Amino acid sequence: MTEADNSAVPVITIDGPSGTGKGTVARWLKRELGWHLLDSGALYRILGYAAETSQVDLDDEPALVLTAAALQVDFIEQDDGVGVLLAGSNVTDAIRTEACGAAASRVAAHAAVRSALLERQKKFRRNPGLVADGRDMGTVVFPHAVLKIFLTASAEERAQRRYKQLKQKGISVNLAQLLGEITARDRRDEERAVAPLRPATDAVIVDTTRSDIRAVESHIKSLVTDRGLARAIS
Ligand code: DC
C-alpha cells in the first residue's frame, strides 16, 4: 500500500491536555486492538529537546523547521512501554521532564513547525489501524477519524496526578508550582493561532476528573464497540 492510499485505514484520535490519562488510554487501546500508535506529543517533545541541546532558540521558527526536518526519530518497544530514540540515543526519560513539556509547547506554537511535522505524523497511518494521541489529532491531522475522543480533567486534578507520579519517581516538586506550569501550558496550547487545543466538533468528550483509569477505559471500550471497531477487545 502506498502512503497516498492509506485513507481507508481506520484511525481513533485521543486528544486533550496533559494529565488527563491520554497516553495511558492510547497505549491500552493500541494493545487491545493490535493497532499502531502515534504519540504526537513525543514528536514535539523531541523537537524541543533537540532544539535546546543544539542551542536553537525556541522562537527561531526557520531554524526549528530545519531541525524538525532533520530529526532522526525511532519509536521502539521496550520492557516498560514505548521508547524513543533520537539519532540512535535513547531519550525516552529525557523528553518526559516538565521543562521538555514546556519547550514542546513553545515549539508547537509555530505554524511552520507544525507543517514540518505533519507528513511525519500521517505516515503512522498503517494497517490494521492507528490510535493517535495529541492535541490536534481529530481537528487537523486526522479529521476523518472513525472515532474522536477528547479527554478532559480539572487542572487541579491533573496537577495532583502529576505530583503523585513524580513523587513515586523520587522527584520532589511543589504542587502549587506544578499547577502553575500546567495552567500556563494549557493556555499556550489553547490560545495559539494554529491548531489550538480544542475538541473536534464531532468528538466525544470524556471528563476523567472523578473517574479512575479503568472506568475511562470501560467507557471508551463501549464507544469503540458501538462503532463496530472492537472485535479484538474482549
Ligand atoms: O502530550 P504531551 O504533553 O507530550 O505534549 C507536549 C506538548 O506538545 C504540548 O504541551 C503541546 C504540544 N503538542 C501539540 O501541540 N500538538 C500535538 N498533537 C501534541 C503535542
Side-chain angles (χ1 to χ4, degrees), residues 15 18 22 39-42 44-45 96 101 104-105 108 114 121 133-137 185 189 192 195:
D15 286 306
S18 58
K22 261 181 319 133
D39 172 1
S40 59
Y44 288 97
R45 284 174 181 269
R96 292 290 152 203
S105 171
R114 303 196 72 84
Q121 295 175 77
D133 151 8
R135 301 289 187 292
D136 63 341
M137 297 295 99
R185 182 136 74 97
D189 293 346
R192 67 180 174 223

Side-chain angles (χ1 to χ4, degrees), residues 74-96:
D74 290 295
F75 289 93
I76 53 162
E77 296 285 336
Q78 290 189 161
D79 291 346
D80 53 353
V82 178
V84 184
L85 302 184
L86 173 59
S89 298
N90 196 317
V91 294
T92 314
D93 293 333
I95 63 163
R96 292 290 152 203

Side-chain angles (χ1 to χ4, degrees), residues 57-184:
D57 191 307
L58 300 183
D59 292 320
D60 185 345
E61 190 170 38
L64 288 171
V65 168
L66 291 177
T67 310
L71 286 180
Q72 285 175 40
V73 181
D74 290 295
F75 289 93
I76 53 162
E77 296 285 336
Q78 290 189 161
D79 291 346
D80 53 353
V82 178
V84 184
L85 302 184
L86 173 59
S89 298
N90 196 317
V91 294
T92 314
D93 293 333
I95 63 163
R96 292 290 152 203
T97 62
E98 301 307 302
C100 204
S105 171
R106 282 182 61 191
V107 300
H110 299 287
V113 168
R114 303 196 72 84
S115 303
L117 291 177
L118 195 58
E119 281 313 306
R120 213 184 261 267
Q121 295 175 77
K122 290 188 171 178
K123 282 187 189 157
F124 280 77
R125 186 175 194 171
R126 295 195 309 271
N127 271 318
L130 176 69
V131 177
D133 151 8
R135 301 289 187 292
D136 63 341
M137 297 295 99
T139 50
V140 175
V141 184
F142 302 109
H144 303 297
V146 284
L147 172 61
K148 299 178 184 178
I149 295 161
F150 191 89
L151 295 185
T152 62
S154 72
E156 288 73 18
E157 173 63 24
R158 291 185 285 125
Q160 282 281 1
R161 289 178 190 167
R162 187 69 182 140
Y163 180 75
K164 279 189 204 146
Q165 253 178 14
L166 291 171
K167 257 189 110 175
Q168 270 168 8
K169 287 187 187 168
I171 302 170
S172 73
V173 277
N174 174 303
L175 182 60
Q177 186 187 338
L178 209 48
L179 178 60
E181 286 169 1
I182 284 178
T183 316

